[in-house]
Amino acid sequence: MSYQIAIDGPAGAGKSTIAKKVAKEKGFIYVDTGAMYRAMAYYLLTQNVNPENAEAVEKRCVEADIAIRYENGEQVVLLNGENVNAVIRSEEVGKMASASSPYPKVRQRITALQKELARTNDVVMDGRDIGTCVLPNADVKVYLTAGAHVRAQRRYDELCAKGVSCDIRQIEEDIIERDKQDMTREISPLKQAEDAVLIDSSYMSIDEVVQSILDLCK
Ligand code: DC
């Protein structure tokens, strides 16, 4: 049996940074499920699909073949055989991922891939519905969150470090909007699984959060 660590939480809570470090410590693979929804969103954007048009999303999403490969321990997302890691991190793709991920056909395709990865590997998987839907029997479940203002400040610092000019109020508004969209959708909304441990990282260092998750694995 594989060992499964599920980390869910809202955008900007630090899930990927933390999950990567936990995976490294444990020698597990890290599965970034948001990247899979982003690859699907990228495909839909390139096809000019309107995310409000359910029929179009459900019809076109089957054309996107999404797969995962690992290169030097890094997850590479393949869309119809092409590495799309470099083009899926934009705000535009993130918004499209949030808008297109509620459709059942999109979720079916992507969650099947996630379940298969977790069946055949020891994993740290992060996302929105991992503990609630994808891996309901995960060995460790964490709901990682932080205040919207703290998350906006982290994103702002990240963008400033890259030399990108931005408005922190706009970032916070976008975060609040994305939380709303992810938490209120009908299918697989973002919520804490009943048996998940809540970690609020607002005033914790990365290493403190990593250690508290490693402690749960004992
Ligand atoms: O974690 P992220 O920002 O890369 O995720 C992008 C969007 O994908 C997010 O707003 C909602 C969706 N998503 C999802 O529905 N289920 C997941 N397990 C992961 C992401």
Side-chain angles (χ1 to χ4, degrees), residues 8-12 15 32-35 37-38 88-89 93-95 97-99 101-102 107 114 126-130 134 178 181-182 185 188:
D8 291 302
K15 296 188 298 296
D32 171 0
T33 64
Y37 289 96
R38 284 172 178 267
I88 57 173
R89 289 289 144 209
V93 173
K95 279 188 183 160
S98 186
S101 58
R107 300 204 77 77
Q114 294 162 1
D126 78 2
R128 304 293 190 286
D129 61 338
I130 309 307
V134 181
R178 181 101 82 86
Q181 205 163 22
D182 293 346
R185 69 186 184 203
S188 308

Side-chain angles (χ1 to χ4, degrees), residues 39-40 42-43 62-69 71 76-85 87 109 113:
M40 174 63 78
Y42 178 74
Y43 178 75
V62 297
E63 300 162 1
D65 179 33
I66 295 165
I68 297 293
R69 194 170 68 198
E71 281 176 14
V76 174
V77 186
L78 302 172
L79 169 64
N80 295 330
E82 208 179 299
N83 178 345
V84 288
N85 275 19
V87 289
R109 286 175 71 72
L113 171 62

Side-chain angles (χ1 to χ4, degrees), residues 28-39:
F28 294 180
I29 60 165
Y30 162 55
V31 183
D32 171 0
T33 64
M36 300 177 189
Y37 289 96
R38 284 172 178 267

Side-chain angles (χ1 to χ4, degrees), residues 7-15 142-148 150-151 154 179 183 190 192 197-204 209:
I7 304 179
D8 291 302
K15 296 188 298 296
V142 171
Y143 188 84
L144 181 64
T145 189
V150 173
R151 287 184 280 139
R154 288 177 185 164
D179 285 356
M183 288 172 176
L190 166 64
Q192 186 180 344
V197 175
L198 173 72
I199 300 181
D200 183 335
S201 72
S202 300
Y203 304 105
M204 288 171 83
V209 178

Side-chain angles (χ1 to χ4, degrees), residues 91-142:
E91 194 53 35
E92 187 192 14
V93 173
K95 279 188 183 160
M96 181 62 153
S98 186
S100 57
S101 58
Y103 291 104
K105 218 176 223 164
V106 169
R107 300 204 77 77
Q108 272 163 22
R109 286 175 71 72
I110 293 179
T111 53
L113 171 62
Q114 294 162 1
K115 286 182 187 190
E116 183 55 19
L117 281 166
R119 194 180 65 78
T120 48
N121 299 276
D122 293 328
V123 292
V124 180
M125 190 175 281
D126 78 2
R128 304 293 190 286
D129 61 338
I130 309 307
T132 50
C133 300
V134 181
L135 306 176
N137 300 315
D139 299 273
V140 171
K141 292 185 190 178
V142 171

